[in-house]
Amino acid sequence: MQEKITALRADCTQEIEQCTTSLQLQEVKVKYMGKSGLITALLKGMKDVAPEDRPKVGSMVNQLRNELESVLEKKTAEIAEMELQHKLKSEKVDISLKSLDEPLGTLHPVTLITQQIQEMLIPLGFKVLEGPEIETDYYSFQALNIPKDHPARDMQDTFYITDSILLRPHTSPMQARFMENNQPPIKIVCPGKVFRSDSDASHSPVFHQIEGLVVDKHLTLCDLKGTLEYIAQNLFTKDTKVRFRPSYFPFTEPSVEVDLSCSNCGGKGCSLCKGTGWIEVLGAGMVNPFVLENCGIDSKQYTGYAFGIGIERIAMIKYGIPDIRLFYENDARFLRQFKK
């Protein structure tokens, strides 16, 4: 047994010294110290050694293993350093060469507009809320004064999963949910993705909205107009004007369509505003008292106003984008235009 140990020591040491790569060294390690290696075989052969000699032989085998592990460790460090130096020489980078101009990513225009609106409203005390995209019929319609079979539902035709579960047609459900659990004063803004059965150059079945809600005492249309002027003048120019036109939405009374003076021509008339000097941008109004009462808020003490902004609509006007479908085609040439 001692002769075998001596021979193994000499053979293994020689093979380790002859290795020039880490792969060769790994093969030697497996050959001698793996689960089926020669040193492991020595330990398995201890059953053939006389009982009185086993402690001595076992000690010799363990000593052999420790010695070879030390030699392996030293050789591993040598080969690692040698391979590193070879890699540094063969993969040297010439820093005088012109670097490849890899294009950097940028935020999507929908994200840019959403962030811009949020950043201008948060300092005014608005709280940003996000809600589920799969909503109930109750919060999407009934809580907002749109009962079942009401013709106003045709204005916001959407995708139903069941009779009572649907893809939300607007982010207004979060307003109802928040009012149910919070008493005025309320100042919230709800951004998010919404869904409607509509598709052409200016409409998409999937688009983005950001809706605002303020509920407090003594609020009027003047407060609503002041807020929208602040948003419009920060989105476009300080000279942007806001115009209200009477309209109808079930959850507001009175309701208004909101026009902005054309940012392209300054209200003089151009192809963008079709010669009118005004561009229709969003819908708004004073919160219907029924909606307040339905959410547990006393409509005799409190009033509120709400507005809903289509993010893609604003981006199309601000950046001169002719087709809403460009937002979703993932064309890198289109997206690169919005790099700051």
Side-chain angles (χ1 to χ4, degrees), residues 91-338:
E91 298 182 5
K92 183 183 293 184
V93 177
D94 186 351
I95 61 173
S96 66
L97 290 175
K98 184 178 179 181
S99 63
L100 295 176
D101 185 18
E102 291 293 336
L104 298 177
T106 183
L107 294 177
H108 193 279
V110 168
T111 304
L112 289 171
I113 297 296
T114 302
Q115 288 185 350
Q116 190 175 351
I117 295 174
Q118 288 179 183
E119 287 169 1
M120 68 177 71
L121 290 178
I122 289 174
L124 298 184
F126 282 82
K127 181 178 181 180
V128 178
L129 298 180
E130 294 185 358
E133 294 176 5
I134 298 177
E135 259 293 0
T136 64
D137 182 274
Y138 174 78
Y139 284 111
S140 295
F141 294 116
Q142 297 174 53
L144 303 173
N145 196 31
I146 313 176
K148 288 184 179 294
D149 301 321
H150 193 286
R153 292 198 178 205
D154 293 338
M155 299 166 60
Q156 297 175 330
D157 192 19
T158 187
F159 301 97
Y160 279 84
I161 299 171
T162 68
D163 290 341
S164 58
I165 303 294
L166 65 152
L167 300 181
R168 65 182 182 186
H170 43 210
T171 57
S172 301
M174 273 309 298
Q175 299 179 4
R177 288 177 178 274
F178 190 83
M179 285 191 289
E180 280 185 346
N181 299 290
N182 297 271
Q183 284 296 305
I186 292 172
K187 272 184 149 182
I188 59 173
V189 61
C190 308
K193 189 184 297 180
V194 296
F195 309 84
R196 295 184 191 176
S197 301
D198 208 353
S199 181
D200 56 42
S202 58
H203 298 85
S204 170
V206 182
F207 60 103
H208 299 78
Q209 274 190 341
I210 185 165
E211 299 192 22
L213 171 71
V214 179
V215 181
D216 208 339
K217 294 180 178 179
H218 312 303
L219 293 177
T220 68
L221 277 172
C222 293
D223 299 294
L224 170 61
K225 190 173 184 183
T227 301
L228 295 179
E229 284 179 343
Y230 168 77
I231 294 173
Q233 290 172 4
N234 278 276
L235 278 174
F236 298 104
T237 68
K238 295 297 182 182
D239 297 324
T240 303
K241 296 180 176 59
V242 173
R243 181 177 73 175
F244 283 175
R245 288 182 290 107
S247 186
Y248 168 75
F249 302 111
F251 33 84
T252 54
E253 180 59 40
S255 303
V256 293
E257 294 284 358
V258 181
D259 300 334
L260 303 184
S261 56
C262 181
S263 59
N264 186 53
C265 65
K268 297 178 182 179
C270 65
S271 58
L272 179 62
C273 61
K274 299 178 182 178
T276 65
W278 297 91
I279 300 177
E280 181 183 331
V281 174
L282 59 101
M286 302 302 294
V287 180
N288 193 306
F290 177 83
V291 175
L292 294 176
E293 295 289 346
N294 204 37
C295 295
I297 295 176
D298 187 352
S299 62
K300 294 181 180 179
Q301 290 192 54
Y302 297 101
T303 56
Y305 63 81
F307 54 88
I309 302 173
I311 300 299
E312 285 86 349
R313 175 68 171 156
I314 295 294
M316 290 174 75
I317 297 170
K318 187 177 180 70
Y319 301 125
I321 300 169
D323 194 321
I324 194 172
R325 290 168 289 198
L326 290 169
F327 289 109
Y328 315 115
E329 291 178 348
N330 294 325
D331 188 328
R333 296 169 300 174
F334 170 75
L335 297 175
R336 275 197 293 268
Q337 299 177 73
F338 303 97

Side-chain angles (χ1 to χ4, degrees), residues 1-18:
M1 179 63 76
Q2 186 172 357
E3 293 176 356
K4 287 184 178 181
I5 292 173
T6 302
L8 275 177
R9 179 183 285 108
D11 292 344
C12 185
T13 302
Q14 183 180 5
E15 290 187 34
I16 290 173
E17 291 301 324
Q18 291 175 348

Side-chain angles (χ1 to χ4, degrees), residues 75-91:
K75 190 65 176 179
T76 299
E78 290 178 5
I79 290 178
E81 178 63 22
M82 183 174 62
E83 289 179 342
L84 175 61
Q85 293 302 322
H86 179 266
K87 188 174 182 180
L88 290 173
K89 291 179 181 179
S90 62
E91 298 182 5

